[in-house]
């Protein structure tokens, strides 16, 4: 699952930068709770994140600790060089970002060269990527 937040649509209070953290935490916690039965089938849930953004790190930890047992979670550094799954996650996030860019007609010449037209991108890449979402 990917989560995307556009600055123009997220209720962001410049005086309170934690408002975005609250939104991410809520969305992630709801997702985890919606899929709790599936996640409980595992002895441990590993969470890979590169701690790249402090606000995202805070939201991630808060949501996971709210929705899942601390004993059932393990945090791991998601170095793309070491973990193939983090490379896949990075690719899926890139695909979702491109979908947003195409939707707003903000794709670059490089995007079009790499992914093709909007129609080709949606049919050949986006559709395939979204088939693997946890619904």
């Amino acid at each position: 699952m990917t989560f995307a937040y556009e600055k123009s649509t997220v209720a962001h209070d410049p005086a309170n930068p934690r408002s975005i953290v609250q939104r991410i935490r809520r969305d992630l916690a709801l997702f985890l709770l919606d899929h709790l039965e599936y996640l409980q089938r595992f002895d441990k849930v590993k969470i890979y994140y590169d701690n790249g953004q402090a606000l995202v790190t805070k939201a991630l930890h808060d949501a996971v600790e709210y929705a899942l047992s601390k004993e059932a979670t393990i945090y791991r550094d998601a170095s793309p060089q070491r973990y193939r799954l983090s490379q896949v996650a990075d690719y899926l996030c890139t695909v979702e970002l491109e979908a947003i860019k195409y939707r707003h007609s903000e794709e670059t010449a490089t995007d079009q060269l790499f992914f093709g037209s909007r129609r080709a991108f949606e049919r050949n890449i986006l559709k395939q990527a979204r088939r693997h979402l946890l619904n």
Side-chain angles (χ1 to χ4, degrees):
M1 180 59 156
T2 59
F3 297 90
Y5 300 92
E6 296 180 50
K7 290 180 184 179
S8 62
T9 60
V10 174
H12 179 68
D13 178 3
N16 181 13
R18 298 189 50 79
S19 62
I20 186 69
V21 173
Q22 293 165 348
R23 171 84 185 271
I24 295 169
R25 177 184 22 203
R26 184 195 73 215
D27 293 348
L28 183 55
L30 287 172
F31 174 80
L32 292 171
L33 291 171
D34 286 346
H35 296 88
L36 191 57
E37 184 178 330
Y38 171 76
L39 294 169
Q40 287 177 332
R41 290 193 273 169
F42 302 96
D43 293 331
K44 297 283 183 185
V45 175
K46 292 182 182 179
I47 298 147
Y48 291 91
Y49 184 64
D50 64 1
N51 296 319
Q53 297 180 32
L55 294 176
V56 174
T57 301
K58 173 76 172 132
L60 177 67
H61 281 265
D62 288 351
V64 169
E65 290 167 13
Y66 175 79
L68 303 174
S69 166
K70 289 182 183 180
E71 292 80 31
T73 56
I74 300 172
Y75 290 93
R76 297 277 192 242
D77 181 31
S79 167
Q81 294 82 9
R82 295 183 53 208
Y83 297 104
R84 188 169 293 159
L85 283 177
S86 68
Q87 293 172 344
V88 172
D90 189 48
Y91 170 74
L92 293 173
C93 289
T94 298
V95 167
E96 290 297 333
L97 177 60
E98 290 303 318
I100 292 168
K101 290 167 67 176
Y102 274 103
R103 185 170 53 246
H104 293 296
S105 299
E106 296 173 349
E107 71 275 9
T108 65
T110 303
D111 295 332
Q112 289 182 347
L113 182 64
F114 189 80
F115 293 110
S117 68
R118 177 180 178 170
R119 180 182 162 113
F121 167 75
E122 288 175 349
R123 293 180 77 203
N124 300 325
I125 297 171
L126 185 62
K127 185 177 178 180
Q128 289 179 16
R130 287 188 173 166
R131 273 194 289 199
H132 299 285
L133 292 178
L134 186 61
N135 290 323

